[in-house]
Amino acid sequence: MTNTSNPDTALVLFSGGQDSATCLAWALERYPRVETVGFEYGQRHGVEMQARLDVRRSMVERFDQWADRLGEDFVIDLSGYGAIAESALTADRAIEIQENGLPSTFVPGRNLVFLTVASALAYRRGHDVMVGGMCETDFSGYPDCRRATIDAMQSALSLGLDRKLVLETPLMFIDKGATWALAHQLGGTDLVDLIRRETHTCYTGDRSTLHEWGHGCGTCPACELRARGWQEWTEAA
Ligand code: ZN
């Protein structure tokens, strides 16, 4: 462990989904040394944690230029937080729109907690940059995905750590179609294929069917968003 800063490294918040896998590729293109962090917070589906490992392994196997750059992976147990934040993602509740207009998949304060915990790791590991897949274009109403929230966190963490910490959000202002386009730009059809096959986005944890846009139940909000983005990208390409 080191706590001296290094501008050539980045810590990627990596869940194993389409967005964070694209962010990981984005970071590997830019930074000579990249580490990843994921969180266990009582997800119903171990498939997400398996997808993290599969994506990391495939990126090393299929992209020589990234293999030497991808460093350690950290998984942090936040199951205590998961118990507080219980919602449809972490408990057995239906996925629906609640009275306050937010989907029941909203985990209150999730990104605030993730960024705070990740910043402690970044500090210890000497990263000045953290990269996350937050996006306010398709944000499903999640208020902690807005850039304004991320800007406030960047200020708070930099002040609280007394070290400038930059929070990069390469997907913030693009939609899901453009996220596929970004993956294609970063790693061509090889990366698109890797993300399609290896990442996991579906809320129900369904890996039984490989659609043209990837694995999933095909009907939950996350699958609908992913399928629509794929369609937009393929129609535009
Ligand atoms: Zn689904």
Side-chain angles (χ1 to χ4, degrees):
M1 289 261 175
T2 171
N3 58 10
T4 53
S5 68
N6 185 342
D8 291 334
T9 77
L11 178 65
V12 178
L13 278 69
F14 181 54
S15 70
Q18 176 191 353
D19 290 348
S20 66
T22 307
C23 286
L24 179 55
W26 183 90
L28 288 165
E29 271 297 286
R30 274 163 187 74
Y31 299 97
R33 189 76 179 158
V34 174
E35 296 183 330
T36 51
V37 60
F39 303 100
E40 288 267 21
Y41 60 103
Q43 293 102 317
R44 284 187 297 184
H45 313 296
V47 290
E48 291 184 9
M49 302 316 278
Q50 187 58 47
R52 296 179 77 258
L53 301 175
D54 294 343
V55 170
R56 279 179 49 95
R57 190 183 53 245
S58 292
M59 282 197 181
V60 166
E61 284 173 0
R62 294 168 70 169
F63 295 90
D64 289 346
Q65 72 273 34
W66 297 341
D68 292 339
R69 296 183 163 203
L70 185 57
E72 273 188 70
D73 179 40
F74 299 86
V75 174
I76 297 175
D77 181 358
L78 293 179
S79 50
Y81 165 70
I84 303 168
E86 182 182 308
S87 82
L89 267 193
T90 51
D92 193 17
R93 282 173 49 186
I95 297 168
E96 61 197 3
I97 302 297
Q98 305 173 137
E99 273 178 28
N100 63 5
L102 288 172
S104 56
T105 48
F106 175 59
V107 181
R110 179 169 55 177
N111 282 324
L112 309 183
V113 172
F114 285 3
L115 288 167
T116 303
V117 173
S119 76
L121 183 65
Y123 186 93
R124 287 289 189 198
R125 302 290 296 172
H127 299 290
D128 291 341
V129 176
M130 299 201 303
V131 182
M134 302 82 177
C135 170
E136 65 173 60
T137 313
D138 286 327
F139 73 133
S140 307
Y142 296 172
D144 58 343
C145 288
R146 292 179 292 201
R147 186 62 220 188
T149 304
I150 305 301
D151 283 340
M153 283 301 287
Q154 180 173 281
S155 297
L157 294 172
S158 294
L159 281 167
L161 296 170
D162 197 21
R163 178 197 290 174
K164 189 168 188 292
L165 189 64
V166 175
L167 305 186
E168 296 271 22
T169 52
L171 312 183
M172 182 57 73
F173 301 109
I174 66 176
D175 61 23
K176 291 284 184 222
T179 301
W180 285 113
L182 176 60
H184 190 262
Q185 182 191 325
L186 290 164
T189 51
D190 251 12
L191 183 61
V192 170
D193 183 61
L194 186 164
I195 289 173
R196 176 180 166 254
R197 289 172 185 277
E198 311 275 19
T199 65
H200 185 82
T201 312
C202 175
Y203 287 146
T204 75
D206 188 337
R207 299 288 294 172
S208 60
T209 308
L210 179 61
H211 308 269
E212 53 181 1
W213 44 266
H215 291 281
C217 71
T219 55
C220 77
C223 282
E224 284 181 358
L225 196 59
R226 181 162 164 155
R228 195 161 62 236
W230 175 269
Q231 192 182 351
E232 283 165 6
W233 177 61
T234 50
E235 283 173 1

